[in-house]
């Protein structure tokens, strides 16, 4: 299995050599439902083989499918799947991604990898992080509407206040005065300007500042995901005051995160994030409509493909489950219709999305209900 990151998708695009095999299918987490998963996988591999043999010798087909067959026979793997599986392979390359999200079944042999489902999973539109915080310890979770998983924090991120502060404790400020004169026989009185609570609060503030810096540097900035804070009200206030993390949402969960199991935490977090998720998608549609009104937007496949090849597409919306079979000439943007069973043919929407990203544009994959067009794509041009 391989971690799914934006960098891993870029690496796949660089390593791809035709023919590229892409296999997606839903899977199950537990027995007895997961018993059917390897059976379905083998049938999908057979479909890949049938497509490849249309234009490739049998020996080459067997070599390409060998790692797929090995995975099908790996009983331990099939006992540890989640909700979705993506397997991509070509000569010298084999990547397996296990995802906590159901994926539509798709089997495709083409000149490039089909990565649209993976890009949708990665994009920040419906992904977020949850920082579960108490006065002296923290944990981080990442996920989307379908669930959360705990993040293995990098070493520089302090999980506890002792990791951040070491053995140093904040001493209460003290002053000394005397009562009853000076000299032998007089007893100095020690006045503390701070008590035990002041000391604990100071340590909490120091820990929160150190944690905030580390979370921003090692988690928020690399991933670019919204960060939701789950903590008791008093810790919410202190952390929000200490934080300089631009990804931290003003709204959060004012709860004791340790009182919730992972499923309850996931649902509560999504209830907070969902309104922003929907508002963001609506704003994208409105931005496209405004741009099209100024002559800087289009939902015409051929026009968008040509603009993508010229590097003029600033942002592109793609319908997640729509497929348009064809070949895309990345140099000219010319689109040629064809059948998906042909192992030189891919989903043109996926290919245009990859081309836009290579040219520095932004690609967002969204559901059909939120698309501002009915053609499967909507592009906003730079000029």
């Amino acid at each position: 299995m391989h971690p799914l990151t934006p960098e891993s998708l870029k690496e796949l695009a660089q390593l791809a050599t035709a023919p590229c095999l892409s296999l997606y299918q839903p899977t199950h987490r537990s027995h007895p439902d997961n018993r059917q998963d390897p059976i379905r996988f083998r049938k999908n591999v057979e479909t890949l083989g049938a497509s490849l043999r249309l234009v490739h010798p049998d020996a080459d087909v067997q070599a390409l499918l060998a790692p797929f067959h090995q995975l099908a026979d790996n009983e331990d793997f099939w006992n540890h799947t989640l909700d979705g599986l993506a397997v991509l392979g070509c000569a010298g390359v084999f990547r397996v991604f296990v995802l906590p999200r159901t994926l539509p079944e798709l089997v495709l042999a083409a000149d490039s990898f089909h990565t649209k489902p993976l890009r949708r999973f990665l994009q920040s539109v419906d992904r977020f992080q949850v920082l579960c915080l108490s006065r002296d310890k923290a944990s981080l979770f990442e996920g989307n509407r379908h669930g959360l998983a705990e993040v293995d924090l990098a070493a520089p991120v302090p999980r506890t206040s002792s990791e951040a502060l070491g053995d140093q404790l904040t001493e209460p400020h003290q002053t000394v005065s005397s009562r009853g004169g000076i000299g032998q026989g007089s007893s100095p009185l020690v006045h503390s300007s701070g008590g035990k609570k002041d000391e604990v609060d100071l340590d909490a503030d120091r820990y929160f500042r150190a944690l905030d810096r580390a979370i921003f540097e090692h988690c928020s900035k690399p991933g670019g995901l919204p960060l939701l804070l789950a903590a008791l009200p008093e810790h919410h206030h202190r952390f929000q005051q200490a934080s300089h993390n631009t990804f931290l949402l003003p709204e959060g969960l004012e709860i004791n995160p340790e009182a919730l199991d992972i499923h309850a935490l996931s649902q509560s977090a999504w209830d907070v994030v969902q309104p922003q998720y929907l508002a963001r998608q609506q704003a994208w549609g409105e931005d496209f409509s405004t741009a099209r009104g100024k002559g800087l937007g289009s939902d015409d496949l051929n026009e968008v493909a040509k603009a993508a090849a010229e590097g003029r597409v600033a942002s592109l919306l793609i319908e997640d489950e729509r497929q348009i079979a064809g070949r895309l000439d990345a140099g000219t943007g010319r689109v040629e219709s064809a059948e998906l069973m042909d192992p030189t043919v891919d989903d043109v929407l996926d290919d245009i999305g990859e081309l836009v990203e290579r040219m520095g544009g932004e690609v967002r994959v969204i559901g059909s209900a939120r698309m501002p067009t009915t053609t499967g794509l909507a592009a906003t041009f730079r000029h």
Side-chain angles (χ1 to χ4, degrees), residues 104-155:
E105 197 152 13
L106 175 66
V107 179
L108 196 61
D111 284 344
S112 60
F113 289 120
H114 183 84
T115 58
K116 187 166 62 177
L118 299 180
R119 279 188 278 124
R120 188 185 187 195
F121 180 84
L122 278 175
Q123 67 185 17
S124 61
V125 56
D126 63 348
R127 291 186 64 77
F128 57 91
Q129 293 179 329
V130 180
L131 178 62
C132 294
L133 180 68
S134 66
R135 186 184 295 272
D136 57 3
K137 63 180 179 180
S139 55
L140 186 70
F141 293 82
E142 184 175 316
N144 55 24
R145 72 180 86 179
H146 302 286
L148 295 171
E150 188 166 2
V151 175
D152 186 14
L153 293 171

Side-chain angles (χ1 to χ4, degrees), residues 199-355:
E199 179 181 335
V200 170
D201 287 343
L202 285 171
D203 285 339
D205 287 338
R206 293 170 63 207
Y207 173 49
F208 289 175
R209 287 194 293 270
L211 176 65
D212 178 68
R213 288 193 298 269
I215 288 289
F216 175 72
E217 189 65 30
H218 298 282
C219 303
S220 294
K221 191 163 68 171
L225 299 180
L227 179 65
L228 185 73
L229 180 62
L232 291 171
E234 59 268 29
H235 301 149
H236 251 283
H237 177 70
R238 301 187 81 90
F239 189 85
Q240 290 279 2
Q241 277 196 322
S243 178
H244 295 282
N245 190 334
T246 53
F247 295 92
L248 180 64
L249 299 175
E251 305 85 358
L253 294 174
E254 295 192 357
I255 56 170
N256 177 7
E258 296 179 359
L260 299 180
D261 62 27
I262 186 65
H263 300 293
L265 177 65
S266 175
Q267 184 57 56
S268 298
W270 178 244
D271 288 343
V272 174
V273 173
Q274 183 182 30
Q276 299 179 54
Y277 161 75
L278 296 176
R280 196 175 302 123
Q281 291 200 33
Q282 182 177 348
W284 291 342
E286 292 171 352
D287 289 345
F288 166 74
S289 298
T290 299
R292 183 163 59 175
K294 297 177 180 178
L296 292 174
S298 175
D299 64 350
D300 179 81
L301 179 70
N302 292 299
E303 184 180 0
V304 172
K306 185 175 184 296
E310 295 170 350
R312 293 194 296 113
V313 178
S315 64
L316 178 68
L317 304 179
I318 302 178
E319 189 175 328
D320 60 348
E321 296 186 13
R322 173 79 70 90
Q323 293 180 36
I324 300 177
R327 298 183 185 89
L328 172 68
D329 185 324
T332 65
R334 181 175 178 273
V335 175
E336 178 186 350
S337 298
E339 296 294 330
L340 275 178
M341 275 301 292
D342 185 331
T344 65
V345 173
D346 194 3
D347 170 21
V348 175
L349 295 178
D350 191 64
D351 288 344
I352 293 175
E354 291 179 357
L355 181 57

